[in-house]
Amino acid sequence: MTNSLLRGPSGSLASSASSPSTSGRYPAVITRARATPRGLGVSGPAALLACNVACSGRPAARRVASVVTRSIADGHDAERLKDCDVLQLETFLQAIRERNQGPSQAPGEVFLVGTGPGDPGLLTLRAAQLMATADVVLYDRLVSDEILQLVGPSARMVYVGKTAGYHTRRQEEIHELLLAFAEAGALVVRLKGGDPYVFGRGGEEVGYLAAHGIRVHCVPGITAAAGICAELGIPLTHRGVATSARFLTGHSREGGEEALDEAVALAADPHTTLIVYMGLSNLAKLASQLVGAGLDPATPAVAVERGTTPGRRVVYGSVAELHELAGRAGLRTPTLIMIGEASRVHGQTHKSARWRMHATDAHSCAP
């Protein structure tokens, strides 16, 4: 397939290879503001009108713009929607289509890429390679700004982050965006904090895209449990202390409360290290359930906010008091919770470990 010409942001013409999976960085079709990676967008009736004008007759563009304008109409914060300039969407998608024109034209590919717990040094080499060559990058709230700086300058950035009680995108909308960009022939990278298949809804996105004929690849990331425990010097398993580790979500989808309660009860095992993701808001209930299921209230526990990043904050305590201590320290999401006797290994190895205190100078070691 021959090279095609793409018009850069300054209006000049530049040459770009046609294969998104083998070429280097493409010339910028749509620029982005590196200094404010989550702060560009337009909203209101003008955006709706622009969608109708720019995207008529283009199925992929109409799908993208439809998701964007629905998000605006639902009252989402336009300042965090970088893809809201719908006048640019058709230009971008058309450039991608022109680049891929030819007898062997096929949909693009989607890569679900785990970015690890936050420290850019824990990013995999494959993840960095894909970020440098992507056409489109959809990224979550948990992907740090330091990691976003590694995205190639020509990539179109789309923020699809979620936090408790507030979603800039419903999961169904994220599915539609991934499909639309892939159908246009783009190399699409979906950045996720941690690992895509550990409470990352990666399986749902793979299933949706595969059902629509899109090839999807998963690039694993260091999940928060492994990265943060390594940083703190806490082993997930330890001979004679913890013979297993269990990962648990701290909240359930609507209607799944009973199943989650059963899972918590089964996790009350003194020989298991329990790692709870997204559990800060339900920490009091979680502790009560574990103690009610037979776990010793004095079992050591740790809560870590933004582990492996410069903003890390750590609270040590027992399972019975951790909620109070975390509240007193003002911990906020994302916070990982670790419960189990293996947490004492940190205290035994590092005599300065301070239980029942808020600490920010935890011991570090590379995983």
Side-chain angles (χ1 to χ4, degrees):
M1 196 181 303
T2 59
N3 287 357
S4 61
L5 293 177
L6 301 183
R7 188 171 299 277
S10 63
S12 60
L13 292 177
S15 175
S16 175
S18 60
S19 172
S21 61
T22 58
S23 65
R25 297 183 180 182
Y26 300 118
V29 179
I30 296 176
T31 59
R32 63 188 180 89
R34 282 186 178 274
T36 55
R38 295 186 173 98
L40 180 65
V42 299
S43 62
L48 297 173
L49 177 61
C51 168
N52 293 332
V53 173
C55 301
S56 60
R58 303 289 186 180
R62 284 202 305 270
R63 181 180 289 111
V64 174
S66 174
V67 173
V68 169
T69 52
R70 282 207 307 273
S71 293
I72 296 171
D74 288 344
H76 294 142
D77 184 1
E79 289 303 313
R80 303 195 76 181
L81 305 180
K82 290 201 60 182
D83 59 330
C84 281
D85 191 348
V86 293
L87 285 173
Q88 297 180 357
L89 289 175
E90 174 62 8
T91 302
F92 171 72
L93 291 171
Q94 181 60 30
I96 295 294
R97 284 191 293 266
E98 290 177 356
R99 186 191 68 197
N100 294 312
Q101 282 180 351
S104 60
Q105 182 175 356
E109 296 180 331
V110 176
F111 291 82
L112 307 184
V113 176
T115 62
D119 180 358
L122 300 180
L123 197 68
T124 66
L125 179 59
R126 181 59 172 152
Q129 292 170 337
L130 287 166
M131 290 167 61
T133 58
D135 295 314
V136 186
V137 174
L138 290 81
Y139 63 101
D140 281 348
R141 180 178 69 96
L142 297 182
V143 180
S144 69
D145 290 345
E146 291 77 12
I147 289 176
L148 290 178
Q149 298 303 313
L150 301 177
V151 174
S154 64
R156 181 72 171 118
M157 302 287 287
V158 183
Y159 177 65
V160 292
K162 302 174 184 177
T163 188
Y166 176 79
H167 293 177
T168 61
R169 294 285 190 274
R170 292 185 291 271
Q171 188 63 39
E172 295 76 14
E173 293 175 334
I174 295 173
H175 291 168
E176 293 177 18
L177 283 170
L178 291 169
L179 177 61
F181 286 124
E183 285 181 336
L187 173 60
V188 185
V189 168
R190 173 76 166 98
L191 290 183
K192 294 174 174 287
D195 183 273
Y197 285 167
V198 180
F199 302 122
R201 305 191 73 167
E204 297 174 41
E205 294 173 1
V206 168
Y208 178 85
L209 293 168
H212 288 80
I214 303 299
R215 293 185 62 188
V216 189
H217 312 269
C218 182
V219 178
I222 295 176
T223 189
I228 294 174
C229 283
E231 179 184 52
L232 297 181
I234 297 174
L236 287 171
T237 61
H238 192 71
R239 189 168 60 174
V241 177
T243 57
S244 65
R246 182 188 294 260
F247 296 172
L248 188 71
T249 177
H251 67 83
S252 63
R253 65 181 182 180
E254 186 176 353
E257 294 82 2
E258 184 176 348
L260 180 59
D261 290 345
E262 293 175 357
V264 172
L266 291 173
D269 179 357
H271 302 294
T272 293
T273 302
L274 178 60
I275 308 294
V276 185
Y277 291 71
M278 303 169 289
L280 184 62
S281 62
N282 291 325
L283 182 53
K285 177 183 177 182
L286 173 69
S288 176
Q289 288 177 309
L290 289 170
V291 172
L295 190 67
D296 185 346
T299 300
V302 186
V304 186
E305 175 189 326
R306 298 191 176 279
T308 78
T309 74
R312 177 192 67 210
R313 297 198 294 162
V314 185
V315 171
Y316 298 93
S318 68
V319 66
E321 64 186 353
L322 190 63
H323 173 257
E324 179 185 351
L325 296 172
R328 191 184 306 166
L331 293 193
R332 303 177 62 183
T333 60
T335 292
L336 189 77
I337 299 162
M338 293 159 283
I339 300 171
E341 291 297 331
S343 299
R344 292 193 194 277
V345 174
H346 171 77
Q348 293 168 353
T349 305
H350 308 283
K351 300 302 182 181
S352 61
R354 291 161 292 175
W355 297 92
R356 293 189 283 280
M357 288 186 66
H358 178 235
T360 57
D361 56 350
H363 167 75
S364 297
C365 66

